[in-house]
Amino acid sequence: MTGPIKSLDARYYTDPEVFKLETGGLLARTWQFGCHASDLAKTGDYATFEIAGESLFAIRGRDDKIRVFYNVCQHRAHQLVSGTGTTRVVVCPYHAWTYELSGELRAGPNIKAVEGFDKSSVCLTEVRVEEFLGFVFVNLDPNAAPMEDWFPGARAELEEWVPNWAELKPLEWVEIPENCNWKVSVENYSECYHCSLNHPTFANGVVKPETYDIHPQGKCLRHTTECQALDQMTYDINSGFAHSHEYSSWFLWPMFSFQVYPGNVLNTYHWRAIDADHVVVWRGWYSVGGVDDEKVRKLAQQDRATTVEEDIHLVESVHRGLKSRGYVPGPLVVDPKGGVNSEHPVMHLQRWMKEAIDG
Ligand code: FES
Ligand SMILES: [Fe+2]
């Protein structure tokens, strides 16, 4: 008998050195959300974003392929682009070297004067990219396994739950700053042991709490539940698609989650770690063509006012508590049968979190 599994030591959440290790390690070795493919609708469209402290940009090539590059010129390291936009070629603002949309050096003022200058040896540094239901994911590790190996079956399931994903565009992003470590927020998202006490809309709402469960599927944490009282929904859930009467979610380790509400309404969580004590959660909401959709807007508002608001207070209190000298990590409530009142998903998360730091 080894006794119950203890929650992770507080220093993993509060120590700035741990955060530094995560930035250079975990964030650079996992699949991270970059931008939505609808930002890159046409040839030459680009969008910049930051991952693991690195500036990157995604750009759509003449072959229609989305590529992602480090946002740095191969001449003398000036930044190439900022924000979003569209361009025929990538021109560095420092000395006007130009690159093809596929990253090869195309021209540079007076480079022909340099004897032995081999243009073909200069190319922007490309990183691994995968499009996942219109979401552009990036992995800075050139040897990373494909997303299908990390999250087996998740893509196929999501395509079933969101059959019109190719038509969806972001309608709005709700930004939620939280004064806590990103892992506190992710753990809170990944267990429902706290739900009956803290989320009245959860306990008395759409889902049947006693059927709620969360199971690892590779490094995806899959939330499933049965629903009840669907006749009392505030919107019409009859989408004509399969699974319209279900709720489901797919958390992709370490910082992204897809949720599908009844009526096949897609919404997402994207955690952005700022430092050891701050995270910003972006709630993404989508509609066909990105046109205003009252149903989706109402859902976003309702979610912000209930679940999100209730969770902010929980995670911020936990983060303060993790800094208390009086805190001794307690046992996790892991029920071998799983279920809504079991913290087994936290146990899995904490193993992945510890592995990322201690190897
Ligand atoms: S640094 Fe980009 S052209 Fe010189
Ligand atoms: Fe919660």
Side-chain angles (χ1 to χ4, degrees), residues 323-341:
K323 294 195 166 183
S324 163
R325 290 183 201 203
Y327 175 62
V328 182
L332 294 175
V333 177
V334 176
D335 184 332
K337 296 190 299 295
V340 68
N341 284 325

Side-chain angles (χ1 to χ4, degrees), residues 188 194 199 311:
N188 176 70
H194 74 275
H199 297 308
D311 277 329

